Amino acid sequence: MATAPDSGAVFALRPAVAADDAFLRELYAGVRWSELASLPWTDAEKRAFCDAQFDLQDRHYRTHYPGAEFLVIATAEGVPVGRLCRVRGAGEWRLMDIALLPAHRGRGAGTRLVTELVASADAAGVPVVLHVEHDNPARRLYERLGFAGVADPGEPGVYLEMTRAPR
């Protein structure tokens, strides 16, 4: 269980199951919706795009990250409010994705969950690696927690790889 510092809310992580699919798709679409606002698509077309992207992301994660954990972030009452995807490997831990519903953003829950992940990785003596969009506000959180960008010798892509060495 994690307690978000400024909201007092208690969160539990539990494995995602098939019954969570509709919630996870809605969460994914909610995170991406503002990016699609300027497109001349109908809401149905935007939703179909988000569903297709969700499927591709899920397939990519499951193919390239064996042993990954796909977790639902839920309130103490069991209400889903987000998701956390991670891989805890022998040489590194990877934070693949963390997303919260808008009502639960900016209240400390994400900070607490990432801080707990980092503390556990420190105890295991392994670095934590993640990718974040260059302009994502979460990048500031990661920097505060000691993550540093990894230099890309080529053109900068959409995502910045960040790593945090164990302490």
Side-chain angles (χ1 to χ4, degrees):
M1 296 283 234
T3 303
D6 58 350
S7 69
V10 176
F11 293 94
L13 296 176
R14 64 168 176 78
V17 296
D20 294 312
D21 188 65
F23 165 74
L24 294 170
R25 288 175 182 281
E26 193 65 33
L27 176 66
Y28 183 87
V31 169
R32 300 287 310 271
W33 207 255
S34 64
E35 298 171 30
L36 305 176
S38 64
L39 296 177
W41 297 349
T42 66
D43 284 354
E45 290 169 324
K46 291 176 185 177
R47 185 53 196 246
F49 175 79
C50 286
D51 281 341
Q53 291 295 299
F54 176 87
D55 290 337
L56 288 169
Q57 182 190 63
D58 187 67
R59 187 169 35 252
H60 176 80
Y61 285 169
R62 292 178 190 282
T63 300
H64 295 285
Y65 299 103
E69 297 172 275
F70 300 89
L71 306 167
V72 170
I73 303 166
T75 65
E77 297 77 28
V79 177
V81 297
R83 81 172 188 162
L84 177 82
C85 303
R86 66 185 180 200
V87 177
R88 296 185 289 183
E92 73 176 28
W93 288 11
R94 183 168 295 268
L95 176 58
M96 297 160 29
D97 190 30
I98 184 168
L100 292 162
L101 292 172
H104 295 276
R105 294 180 198 151
R107 295 174 34 196
T111 299
R112 181 63 182 250
L113 291 165
V114 175
T115 299
E116 289 179 2
L117 176 71
V118 165
S120 295
D122 284 351
V126 294
V128 179
V129 178
L130 57 82
H131 287 85
V132 64
E133 291 177 337
H134 292 273
D135 61 350
N136 187 324
R139 181 176 170 183
R140 290 188 301 278
L141 163 66
Y142 302 140
E143 289 169 345
R144 281 194 316 270
L145 294 177
F147 286 84
V150 176
D152 182 357
E155 287 291 316
V158 174
Y159 296 98
L160 170 67
E161 180 177 332
M162 301 184 83
T163 189
R164 182 187 180 282
R167 305 237 162 92

